[in-house]
Amino acid sequence: MKGNRMNFIVLTIFPEMFNPFWEHGIIKRAIDRNKILASAVNIRDFAQGRHRTTDDRPYGGGCGMIMKPEPLAGAIRTATKKAPLAKRILLTPQGRRFDQGVAREFASLDGIIFVCGRYEGVDERICHNLIDDEISIGDYVLTGGELAAMVIIDAVTRLIPGVLGGKDSAEKDSFSGSVLKYAQYTRPRTFEGVDVPEVLLSGNHKKIEEARLESSLIRTFLKKQDLLENRSLSAEEIKILKKWCRDIEKIIHDQSIRGPDALSGDQ
Ligand code: ADE
């Protein structure tokens, strides 16, 4: 059963990277309000020998260094004792792609133990025995998993009930209804010659909701069409899309009346 506080434990050879992260903004507030527990543990503390080495050369040759299994296994086992229900996630460009859906999935967990790889990767036996999931934050290679852990902790924390100020701030996000957020404005009313749309000043909440839905749809259509293709549209949304079709057809029709040059797009 899920406890009342999400426990994030990050296993890293650079725990200090996380100090400023824990100490600012929504993450700090979530820690202060006991919504999350957050700690960064040094993998080196589990390394043996005078030099406490955490990496070694790969068997079979090749470039780069590999993270040794013993310190990682020690760190993961100790973290698992502290948070027995936590999911153990290895951060790697080879993992399942992180997105808002995965963030929602993680927000309902009891805890997450992040294993931050460095160098060329971690010994494969760690992945087999001590890891529940492998996650990538995108198709690019970082120098380590630390920034990826911060991205995930940030995205997940703001979905935990009671973390964000407004009652429904997280529900009205981009992506939460699988469309992008509508265009937003604050004071001044006119900025560098551009006015805030009149409807937002009207006080008519129904009209404002309609305008925001239309803005969300336009932005999704122009910037991330795949989101629209992968979702079932509401009657209201279909009405808006049909209106655009009519508007676009009218523009094309009016242009075609002006002759073929108008349609060539050369002017
Ligand atoms: N470590 C290195 N690159 C990464 C990425 N893209 N996502 C997660 N962890 C990583």
Side-chain angles (χ1 to χ4, degrees):
M1 208 192 75
K2 181 164 163 38
N4 57 1
R5 245 189 326 178
M6 162 77 84
N7 192 355
F8 294 115
I9 303 178
V10 185
L11 309 181
T12 165
I13 57 165
F14 295 128
E16 299 80 13
M17 279 179 77
F18 287 81
N19 295 340
F21 180 58
W22 306 141
E23 285 162 16
H24 289 91
I26 302 283
I27 299 296
K28 178 180 184 331
R29 203 173 67 188
I31 294 170
D32 292 346
R33 291 185 178 173
N34 270 323
K35 299 289 176 196
I36 62 168
L37 265 175
S39 56
V41 174
N42 198 338
I43 295 167
R44 206 173 289 285
D45 293 346
F46 298 85
Q48 302 295 312
R50 200 153 56 94
H51 298 294
R52 295 190 163 259
T53 316
T54 55
D55 62 326
D56 206 341
R57 284 165 300 157
Y59 272 120
C63 59
M65 299 292 270
I66 308 297
M67 287 186 86
K68 285 166 70 60
E70 306 93 322
L72 277 174
I76 296 170
R77 291 209 167 96
T78 302
T80 305
K81 275 196 194 120
K82 275 195 208 142
L85 299 176
K87 190 172 182 128
R88 297 169 305 185
I89 292 176
L90 175 68
L91 297 158
T92 161
Q94 296 168 23
R96 175 161 77 102
R97 176 74 75 86
F98 184 72
D99 62 13
Q100 193 65 17
V102 180
R104 274 195 290 270
E105 180 192 318
F106 287 176
S108 64
L109 294 174
D110 252 278
I112 304 177
I113 296 167
F114 292 99
V115 178
C116 300
R118 279 265 151 190
Y119 319 115
E120 291 304 307
V122 306
D123 187 290
E124 190 64 21
R125 289 160 294 184
I126 290 296
C127 314
H128 289 172
N129 302 332
L130 292 164
I131 293 297
D132 304 312
D133 204 351
E134 296 186 11
I135 296 289
S136 161
I137 59 162
D139 288 341
Y140 40 80
V141 182
L142 303 166
T143 56
E146 286 77 6
L147 290 174
M150 289 184 209
V151 165
I152 296 171
I153 293 169
D154 195 283
V156 171
T157 296
R158 58 189 297 291
L159 296 179
I160 293 171
V163 165
L164 289 187
K167 183 176 127 281
D168 51 5
S169 318
E171 281 133 51
K172 296 219 168 142
D173 281 342
S174 284
F175 300 116
S176 64
S178 33
V179 286
L180 299 183
K181 186 138 191 169
Y182 45 80
Q184 300 181 98
Y185 303 86
T186 184
R187 284 185 287 188
R189 205 166 149 162
T190 304
F191 175 68
E192 296 187 350
V194 183
D195 291 336
V196 171
E198 210 47 49
V199 62
L200 299 180
L201 312 171
S202 69
N204 183 333
H205 294 293
K206 188 164 175 287
K207 283 241 148 33
I208 292 172
E209 282 300 307
E210 283 166 11
R212 284 184 167 163
L213 176 60
E214 182 155 7
S215 166
S216 277
L217 279 177
I218 290 176
R219 287 151 80 92
T220 312
F221 182 74
L222 293 177
K223 297 180 185 177
K224 284 196 178 283
Q225 232 183 85
D226 55 310
L227 288 178
L228 283 185
E229 283 156 14
N230 297 328
R231 103 197 258 280
S232 54
L233 298 164
S234 70
E236 189 64 29
E237 289 165 349
I238 290 171
K239 203 169 118 192
I240 292 170
L241 291 174
K242 282 189 171 160
K243 180 170 100 47
W244 296 350
C245 279
R246 287 194 300 275
D247 291 351
I248 293 166
E249 272 165 10
K250 183 172 179 319
I251 292 170
I252 295 171
H253 177 260
D254 291 352
Q255 293 283 316
S256 64
I257 285 174
R258 286 185 219 154
D261 280 355
L263 277 179
S264 72
D266 290 343
Q267 352 112 66

